[in-house]
Amino acid sequence: MSCYLGLDLGTSGLKGLLINAEGAIVGQAEQRIPVSHPHDGWSEQEPADWIAALQNVVEQLRAAYAGFSDLRGIGVSGQMHGATLIDKDGAVLRPCILWNDTRSHLEAAKLDADPAFRQISGNIVFPGFTAPKLDWLRAQEPDVFARVAKVLLPAAYLNYFLTGDHVGDLSDASGTSWLDIRARGWSADLLARSGMMASQMPRLVEGSAIAGQLRPELARAWGVKASVTVAGGAGDNAATACGLGLLQDGAGAVSLGSSGVVMVARDSCQPAPQTAVHTFCHALPDRWFQMGVMLAAADNLNWLANLVGQPPQTLVAQLGDKLHRPGPILYLPYLAGERTPYNTPHLRAGFTGIGAMSGRADMTRAVLEGVSFGLRDNLEALRATGAAPQRLYAVGGGARSDYWVRLLATVLGLPIDISASQAAHGAALGAARLGLLAATGAAISDVITPPRDTREVLPDAAHVAEFSEAFTNFQSAARATSKNVAKGLPGT
């Protein structure tokens, strides 16, 4: 039976997911990928490590699933915004500068001061976006900049490895600050304003369209019997939306991954950059989505776990099953700055209210609450654009915690749906579905469907009012701290 491969290139690793023609998951594999932080605020990866991880994942799947030889389609999902720089011979010029790298914050501010960028791209030029990275490169590594023939996002680089062609998709390209999100194509004006050329950009297709065919030498090495179609693919959040079936206006999800996201599908393009909400093309034709982004979500819990020397699951388990009222400690979850709604790269995390009697459980509780309040801040920013989600799917590692999901539902004041089969596979499953669409030409509505095995988590009515008041206090503290950072004062 035919099968379809979704590849999800995240910051910490690459996941491969195989589905059959009916969309059921038949195989999965994962390989970790190292991240380098050579200076404060820098975050890089070697593209060669991505390729090694891809080949490792394919070998795992071949060994575990006899039907791999019937592979017919591939879709790639990738961490967004990364600058992978290729010379005229196809060689990588330097490590990829990742989405969470903030070195180009001055360049981002300079580009963002030009009204054309917000008007055409529909978004603030955030420090993590691609365009300011190239502006930084021009000034700091001019010899490398002079040799740049192509700028590829991480998913597009995997497409290049798979097909031999420089091709990406519109959802991923939306985070470069070079895309006209209304016209769904590169903006010659924005490229010129940042000193770049259209010839340095990859060809763009819709995520569900054909990007190319798997290179014959790879097909032979992988033992594949027939031609394999590679889809345009998607940025990670658009792929997650495809995995969750987020098609209709208002359908949404909240992600408790390393970073945090609240996203909502939109049936029209309604950018509102003044809110610091991201407005991107969907991976599917004639659709868009909007999202608020926290640069650190579950990473806050991971940080605390490393600090106290206990696994995150153990820390959360110590809170018990019953939802507590808001704790006395306030935590601002800004380990790596923040995008929505503050757009402040130098904002930092901090606790307020720790006393002599405060213990590890109190700090865990504060961290979970702080991240939840940060996501509520994102939800309110989305609502300011006209988005009106009535319920959200929860995805990401943090969604495995019943306590955290119950807390989040209460803080957001919305029902949250959890799918056991899809919560952990959203982006990879969405990528596999895009591979199926490109290979078969199936109807989008037949493939991009919501989960069937959902479990509903309702807000805890006994604590909704208390957490709403606590959120107001959190928001006041976060706004005051952000203003202090803008004045050059300490970040917490």
Side-chain angles (χ1 to χ4, degrees), residues 297-312 315-316 318-319 331 335 351 354 359-368:
D299 267 356
N300 287 276
L301 182 60
N302 295 333
W303 166 80
L304 180 63
N306 289 333
L307 190 68
V308 302
Q310 287 200 342
L315 293 180
V316 176
Q318 290 168 354
L319 300 180
Y331 177 69
L335 290 173
F351 291 97
I354 293 178
R360 186 168 51 209
D362 299 303
M363 296 180 72
T364 301
R365 188 170 152 197
V367 167
L368 299 186

Side-chain angles (χ1 to χ4, degrees), residues 62-348:
R62 287 183 65 198
Y65 182 64
F68 187 88
S69 60
D70 291 316
L71 183 68
R72 294 293 180 269
I74 300 174
V76 178
S77 159
Q79 48 172 304
M80 297 182 67
H81 315 306
T84 314
L85 311 175
I86 310 298
D87 70 11
K88 62 181 178 60
D89 298 317
V92 175
L93 290 168
R94 68 175 321 283
C96 177
I97 306 175
L98 301 184
W99 63 275
N100 55 351
D101 188 294
T102 59
R103 76 184 74 178
S104 59
H105 63 93
L106 295 177
E107 290 80 5
K110 182 188 74 173
L111 294 177
D112 192 54
D114 181 345
F117 279 89
R118 293 193 182 192
Q119 181 181 354
I120 298 172
S121 78
N123 294 279
I124 290 173
V125 182
F126 290 98
F129 279 22
T130 320
K133 293 178 171 70
L134 271 293
D135 220 23
W136 178 90
L137 192 78
R138 180 189 294 105
Q140 303 300 325
E141 298 180 7
D143 292 343
V144 174
F145 182 83
R147 297 169 59 197
V148 174
K150 291 288 180 184
V151 181
L152 300 180
L153 298 165
Y157 183 75
L158 291 192
N159 282 350
Y160 172 53
F161 172 75
L162 294 170
T163 69
D165 190 10
H166 305 111
V167 56
D169 99 290
L170 291 159
S171 70
D172 215 6
S174 297
T176 61
S177 294
W178 292 318
L179 192 80
D180 184 332
I181 60 165
R182 296 175 183 85
R184 301 176 81 92
W186 296 121
S187 167
D189 187 9
L190 295 183
L191 287 167
R193 287 172 185 266
S194 57
M196 301 298 292
M197 298 179 292
S199 62
Q200 294 174 302
M201 300 296 113
R203 177 172 61 87
L204 294 179
V205 298
E206 297 286 354
S208 55
I210 297 172
Q213 301 296 316
L214 185 66
R215 290 188 290 130
E217 56 268 37
L218 282 179
R220 288 192 296 270
W222 294 357
V224 176
K225 297 176 182 176
S227 177
V228 179
T229 297
V230 178
D236 49 8
N237 290 297
T240 296
C242 292
L244 291 169
L246 303 185
L247 284 178
Q248 304 306 316
D249 193 273
V254 56
S255 174
L256 279 172
S258 298
S259 60
V261 174
V262 183
M263 62 177 167
V264 180
R266 306 305 301 268
D267 57 13
S268 61
C269 185
Q270 303 178 46
Q274 72 279 4
T275 65
V277 163
H278 301 47
T279 302
F280 290 166
C281 297
H282 206 314
L284 304 165
D286 302 320
R287 292 175 174 86
W288 290 260
F289 70 100
Q290 290 180 300
M291 63 181 179
V293 175
M294 293 181 66
L295 291 177
D299 267 356
N300 287 276
L301 182 60
N302 295 333
W303 166 80
L304 180 63
N306 289 333
L307 190 68
V308 302
Q310 287 200 342
Q313 301 91 326
T314 301
L315 293 180
V316 176
Q318 290 168 354
L319 300 180
D321 297 326
K322 184 179 179 181
L323 183 64
H324 300 280
R325 60 177 300 186
I329 301 174
L330 174 68
Y331 177 69
L332 298 182
Y334 307 123
L335 290 173
E338 194 54 301
R339 285 197 191 169
T340 312
Y342 303 110
N343 186 28
T344 308
H346 299 300
L347 195 59
R348 288 296 179 264

Side-chain angles (χ1 to χ4, degrees), residues 359-448:
R360 186 168 51 209
D362 299 303
M363 296 180 72
T364 301
R365 188 170 152 197
V367 167
L368 299 186
E369 290 176 4
V371 174
S372 300
F373 290 143
L375 290 167
R376 168 73 181 271
D377 229 356
N378 279 262
L379 177 62
E380 296 304 324
L382 279 166
R383 284 172 169 158
T385 72
Q390 300 302 305
R391 60 194 312 115
L392 298 169
Y393 289 104
V395 297
R400 291 194 289 267
S401 165
D402 286 345
Y403 184 93
W404 203 349
V405 173
R406 193 179 316 116
L407 169 64
L408 189 58
T410 305
V411 170
L412 298 183
L414 291 174
I416 290 180
D417 293 317
I418 301 175
S419 164
S421 64
Q422 290 174 272
H425 304 306
L429 177 59
R433 287 177 164 185
L434 292 172
L436 188 156
L437 287 169
T440 66
I444 288 173
S445 59
D446 290 341
V447 176
I448 309 299

